């Protein structure tokens, strides 16, 4: 057994702090975990219960699903993580919710940035796209489940996209499709959904009162 195998086995044996997510390799995944929940595995900072043990097998435990969903929704996990934790005891932390300036993004920052990029790209997509523009947009969307850094986020988006094929026929159609995908995540989190009739106001034109001009 190599040292790496030994470390992996040790990680699997040790319960994870609430909110920390394992990657496909069975190790804690930094880009899959909110900054507030990222705590290196030491005997002094691991607080466990029976539910935590199920997370240590590298599968998508309830904690990982909650954090992954929050990433896609571009929101925070405080309420969702508390509800999903059941008997898990959420550790008090003096750490900020987001990484300090100059640090790599956490799962929530990445999620917000990704949704901002996708919604804004759709807002400026042509009303009558050429076949090449449609193909390029489809390539972009289909690349996300393959290349997105957070593996569980990518997998969930890919599964949803498999059920609801992207509509790249026009700017309006694409904007609504992305809005509906985002709302699917909001529903899973118990968050309010966004009125998809207002996507242009939110991502392109700004409110009628001119407050964003």
């Amino acid at each position: 057994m190599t040292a790496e195998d030994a470390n992996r086995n040790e990680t699997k044996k040790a319960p994870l702090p609430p909110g920390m997510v394992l990657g496909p390799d069975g190790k804690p995944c930094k880009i899959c975990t909110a900054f507030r929940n990222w705590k290196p595995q030491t005997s002094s900072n691991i607080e466990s219960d029976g539910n935590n043990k199920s997370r240590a097998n590298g599968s998508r435990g309830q904690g990982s699903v909650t954090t992954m969903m929050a990433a896609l929704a571009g929101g925070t996990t405080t309420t969702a993580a508390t509800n999903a934790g059941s008997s898990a005891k959420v550790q008090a932390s003096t750490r900020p919710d987001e990484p300090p300036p100059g640090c790599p993004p956490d799962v929530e920052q990445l999620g917000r940035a990704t949704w901002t990029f996708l919604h804004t790209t759709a807002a400026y997509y042509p009303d009558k796209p050429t076949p090449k523009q449609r193909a390029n947009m489809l390539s972009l969307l289909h690349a996300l489940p393959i290349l997105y850094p957070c593996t569980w986020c990518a997998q969930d988006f890919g599964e949803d996209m498999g059920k609801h094929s992207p509509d790249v026929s026009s700017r309006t159609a694409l904007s609504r499709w992305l809005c509906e995908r985002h709302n699917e995540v909001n529903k899973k989190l118990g968050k309010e959904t966004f009125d998809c009739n207002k996507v242009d106001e939110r991502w392109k034109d700004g409110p009628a009162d001119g407050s964003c001009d």
Side-chain angles (χ1 to χ4, degrees):
M1 177 183 294
T2 66
E4 184 176 352
D5 291 333
N7 290 335
R8 183 179 293 110
N9 288 338
E10 186 62 28
T11 298
K12 289 182 178 181
K13 292 178 182 178
L16 297 178
M20 182 175 283
V21 182
L22 291 179
D25 58 0
K27 297 179 180 180
C29 175
K30 194 166 189 178
I31 193 56
C32 306
T33 304
F35 180 75
R36 73 175 72 79
N37 296 324
W38 179 256
K39 297 182 182 296
Q41 293 228 309
T42 65
S43 58
S44 62
N45 67 15
I46 294 177
E47 189 172 326
S48 65
D49 63 12
N51 288 343
N52 282 344
K53 294 179 182 178
S54 65
R55 301 181 196 169
N57 60 7
S59 64
R60 291 172 60 179
Q62 185 64 51
S64 66
V65 172
T66 299
T67 306
M68 172 271 295
M69 287 282 97
L72 290 175
T76 60
T77 61
T78 304
T79 301
T82 301
N83 293 337
S86 297
S87 59
K89 297 179 180 179
V90 180
Q91 297 178 358
S93 174
T94 58
R95 303 188 85 190
D97 284 348
E98 296 186 352
C103 293
D106 72 348
V107 69
E108 294 176 352
Q109 287 181 325
L110 176 64
R112 287 193 294 271
T114 301
W115 278 121
T116 297
F117 166 70
L118 291 175
H119 285 304
T120 307
T121 299
Y124 289 89
Y125 185 68
D127 290 318
K128 296 181 179 180
T130 65
K132 185 175 181 179
Q133 288 171 325
R134 293 187 186 191
N136 286 336
M137 180 55 70
L138 284 173
S139 294
L140 171 63
L141 295 173
H142 285 296
L144 288 173
I146 301 172
L147 300 176
Y148 196 73
C150 172
T151 306
W152 305 132
C153 310
Q155 182 176 328
D156 186 82
F157 187 71
E159 291 173 355
D160 189 39
M161 192 160 54
K163 299 174 184 176
H164 307 279
S165 298
D167 189 344
V168 298
S169 60
S170 68
R171 183 183 70 83
T172 301
L174 178 60
S175 294
R176 177 166 288 275
W177 181 85
L178 279 169
C179 179
E180 290 172 350
R181 304 286 65 73
H182 201 159
N183 276 340
E184 283 297 313
V185 178
N186 287 334
K187 291 177 183 177
K188 293 175 184 177
L189 278 174
K191 298 177 62 176
E192 291 185 7
T193 56
F194 183 80
D195 183 356
C196 292
N197 293 316
K198 297 182 178 180
V199 289
D200 281 352
E201 177 182 320
R202 173 64 180 89
W203 301 107
K204 187 174 186 289
D205 302 326
D209 61 9
S211 58
C212 293
D213 294 338

